Amino acid sequence: MPAESHHVLISPLGRSPGAVSGVYFGLRERDTPVREVITVGTSDDDVQKAADYWLEPLFRSETDVAYRPRFITGEELHGGEQDVGPFTALMGLHIQQAREACHVVHVAVTGGRSGMGALGALAAQLYGADHLWHLWVERAIEEGGSVDRLHPPKDRTNVYLNPTAQGKEREAWELVALPFVDLTPLHGVIRDYLLEGAVNPEALPIGMQGILDIGQNEAHLQFVTCLYELIDHCFDVEELRTLCFGLGLDYDNLRGEGKTAKARELILFLNRRGHIAKLEGYVRERRPDVSWPAMPGVPLAQLPLLHGFVQASAAQLAQIFPAGLTVGAADRIMERVGTFKQAQTDERRLAVALEVGDILQDAGVYDRQVVRWVRDFAMQPATQARVRRLIEDARRNSDVPGFWQRILDWVSENESLAAAPTSVGEFLVKVAGMLVEWQTVS
């Protein structure tokens, strides 16, 4: 594990802050020092109080842990599009980012109402946590831990924030490991189906390639045959050797004698391992003037195990996948971009801009401090000073700071285009549309 890696705790947050901090202290009892705690909650006043009034000072007093509270715009988990999807996707974003940074990811599901715990467990499975935890505490601690009953101190000596302070001799708490399934190997399949309605064979996890005999799929067989014939025709022996080298293969180790036989074996070798798309991309890059065949998708109906998982749940998956800005959220943004362009009054344009802003907050694009500023200045002229302030504040408080750096670069390169919007709200709508476009392309 890289030296900079550490343990990260990600948890829903409700009205009982100890449901989060208790897991933190419980992990310390297991000699697992968590260095970063991230909570995801609603915008309910009591939930924000649990974060700002209790957890913030508690973790600050610990000195060796960073605390990052995050909130969706909804005050309760009422609707799939408005609240449930964004909550799951925002948890997923932090799980995914921690995983990509090679951290050890712990997800706790005790915080918040039972629905939040269920969504936390779903996010842990869909985005690949390392551990899933439930904290059991005795009834007295559970009943006295809500924000309307808590009393100082705001440190580890408070048993409602740290049940381990009772001592090991008392059975006041237990950290329970929960079983779960890591579904991250299916991300390529899910993404293909949500965007294209078909699955690229390259997206299949290695362990699932046996579900479909790709060689017996007629469209794929035609594709492979055409690819083989073009490679044999367009590459001489030395170029084929170079091609193999670029793919990490030894030309001389391929079976057969002569260029034609070697080209055939190269195709068969990569096809058996599900890496034919890599070859396709390689030859396209080196012979851009050739009309190469397009790799066909595999209809999901031919993948029985995945058919029920993906097709039956496509609408639900669109609300929680990918992490952060989901397919469903992207669709809602583009719908509102069109509505904004058609709006006839400032009042309607303001309402739509604020709706877009809420979607961006839910996706982790900026936080609640930026939301307040946007609400105050949404209909003010989009001067360069205001545009740059929005970008800088958003980048500083964003879960996706790289996006705002890209926007800043775009503004710097296109001053006149960036200044075209007449209001901060219109600029925000434009930025949201660019986010959807960039995410779709990437």
Side-chain angles (χ1 to χ4, degrees), residues 153-173:
K154 304 174 186 178
D155 58 34
R156 62 168 52 215
T157 63
N158 189 329
V159 296
Y160 297 105
L161 298 176
N162 175 22
T164 71
Q166 293 276 27
K168 292 185 178 180
E169 66 279 1
R170 282 200 54 183
E171 296 182 355
W173 66 278

Side-chain angles (χ1 to χ4, degrees), residues 193-355:
Y193 185 73
L194 289 177
L195 296 179
E196 305 293 341
V199 176
N200 189 316
E202 190 76 3
L204 288 173
I206 293 176
M208 303 183 72
Q209 289 175 0
I211 296 173
L212 178 69
D213 185 353
I214 294 177
Q216 298 303 312
N217 179 273
E218 183 177 354
H220 187 81
L221 185 58
Q222 292 176 355
F223 161 76
V224 168
T225 301
C226 183
L227 189 64
Y228 154 67
E229 292 172 349
L230 286 172
I231 289 176
D232 185 39
H233 176 74
C234 298
F235 290 79
D236 61 28
V237 173
E238 288 306 311
E239 289 172 330
L240 192 57
R241 284 183 178 274
T242 302
L243 176 64
C244 290
F245 180 81
L247 294 168
L249 301 174
D250 188 333
Y251 175 90
D252 293 321
N253 287 340
L254 294 172
R255 288 184 291 180
E257 296 294 333
K259 178 172 72 74
T260 298
K262 295 288 188 181
R264 182 187 66 246
E265 290 303 316
L266 173 65
I267 293 282
L268 292 174
F269 180 90
L270 294 175
N271 189 50
R272 286 193 297 269
R273 285 155 180 77
H275 294 160
I276 202 72
K278 184 177 180 180
L279 173 62
E280 179 201 15
Y282 198 92
V283 295
R284 282 184 183 277
E285 181 180 338
R286 278 148 186 78
R287 291 289 190 276
D289 55 320
V290 175
S291 180
W292 297 100
M295 186 171 183
V298 178
L300 202 64
Q302 296 185 27
L303 307 174
L305 181 60
L306 300 181
H307 181 72
F309 174 72
V310 178
Q311 188 178 55
S313 303
Q316 291 87 343
L317 284 169
Q319 301 307 321
I320 61 176
F321 186 88
L325 186 71
T326 65
V327 171
D331 288 345
R332 294 198 301 278
I333 283 178
M334 296 315 295
E335 177 186 341
R336 284 158 177 78
V337 168
T339 301
F340 187 92
K341 292 178 180 178
Q342 299 297 321
Q344 300 296 315
T345 65
D346 286 345
E347 290 76 12
R348 181 57 180 152
R349 282 189 284 271
L350 173 61
V352 175
L354 294 182
E355 289 175 8

Side-chain angles (χ1 to χ4, degrees), residues 409-426:
D409 293 342
W410 176 80
V411 168
S412 300
E413 295 170 3
N414 303 274
E415 294 284 355
S416 59
L417 291 176
T422 58
S423 68
V424 170
E426 186 172 348

Side-chain angles (χ1 to χ4, degrees), residues 43 48 51-52 56 68-73 357 361 365-377 389-390 392-399:
S43 291
Q48 296 191 67
D52 300 338
E56 193 82 58
R68 296 168 56 200
R70 292 293 184 262
F71 305 91
I72 64 169
T73 55
Q361 180 190 348
V365 178
Y366 54 55
D367 72 355
R368 52 185 171 158
Q369 281 77 26
V370 177
V371 170
R372 298 187 188 108
W373 186 89
V374 168
R375 288 183 180 278
D376 290 338
F377 289 92
R389 177 178 173 181
L390 171 61
E392 291 293 347
D393 287 353
R395 182 174 61 168
R396 188 165 48 251
N397 298 287
S398 176
D399 295 322

Side-chain angles (χ1 to χ4, degrees), residues 76 91 110 117 153 168 183 188 255 273 284 334 357 378 382 430 434:
E76 295 287 349
M91 280 204 67
T110 311
K168 292 185 178 180
L183 298 177
R255 288 184 291 180
R273 285 155 180 77
R284 282 184 183 277
M334 296 315 295
K430 184 178 183 66
M434 294 170 69

Side-chain angles (χ1 to χ4, degrees), residues 15 32 34 40 48 51 69 71 79 86 99 102 169 172 176 219 224 277 312 332 363 377 379 403 409 422:
R15 298 179 176 92
T32 303
V34 171
V40 178
Q48 296 191 67
F71 305 91
R99 182 182 173 122
C102 297
E169 66 279 1
V176 183
V224 168
R332 294 198 301 278
F377 289 92
M379 296 311 295
F403 165 70
D409 293 342
T422 58

Side-chain angles (χ1 to χ4, degrees), residues 51-101:
D52 300 338
Y53 188 78
W54 291 102
L55 292 182
E56 193 82 58
L58 170 67
F59 288 125
R60 190 166 57 245
S61 71
E62 289 296 303
T63 69
D64 60 349
V65 59
Y67 175 52
R68 296 168 56 200
R70 292 293 184 262
F71 305 91
I72 64 169
T73 55
E75 294 186 358
E76 295 287 349
L77 297 183
H78 285 310
E81 286 192 1
Q82 293 78 17
D83 306 306
V84 173
F87 184 91
T88 310
L90 190 55
M91 280 204 67
L93 177 63
H94 291 290
I95 294 170
Q96 181 173 286
Q97 289 179 339
R99 182 182 173 122
E100 290 173 349

